[in-house]
Amino acid sequence: MIDWVPVVFVTFKVGIFVTCMFFAIKWHYDQGKKKGASRRALLLTGGKVAAIFILALLGVMLFTFTLAKTLGLDLSLN
C-alpha cells in the first residue's frame, strides 16, 4: 500500500512544477511584448545576472574549501 505514495507525490510535484513554469514563461513573454524591451538591454541584463551568479558561485566554493581545510578535511583527489 505504501509503494504508491512516492509515485503519487512525485507525479503531483512534477505536474505543479510544469504548470508553474508554463505560466511563469507565459507571463514573462507577455511582459516582454508589452514593454517592447530592446534586445541590447535584454542582453546586458542577462550578462549582469550571469556575472553575479558566477561570482556568487565562486564565493560559495571558496568558502566551502576554506571551511573544509580549516576543519582538516582531506580534499585530495587520490
Side-chain angles (χ1 to χ4, degrees):
M1 169 110 174
I2 197 73
D3 294 336
W4 60 270
V5 171
V7 173
V8 170
F9 284 145
V10 168
T11 305
F12 178 73
K13 187 175 183 176
V14 167
I16 293 298
F17 180 72
V18 168
T19 303
C20 291
M21 286 304 296
F22 171 77
F23 284 114
I25 291 169
K26 182 182 180 313
W27 182 82
H28 281 90
Y29 179 76
D30 290 344
Q31 292 298 316
K33 284 177 69 176
K34 188 186 306 183
K35 288 182 184 175
S38 69
R39 184 172 176 89
R40 185 180 192 288
L42 202 60
L43 289 173
L44 186 62
T45 303
K48 287 179 185 178
V49 169
I52 291 170
F53 176 75
I54 296 295
L55 288 174
L57 183 64
L58 289 173
V60 168
M61 286 176 52
L62 180 66
F63 173 74
T64 302
F65 283 115
T66 304
L67 181 63
K69 286 253 189 203
T70 303
L71 295 175
L73 298 175
D74 183 22
L75 298 176
S76 64
L77 297 175
N78 298 340

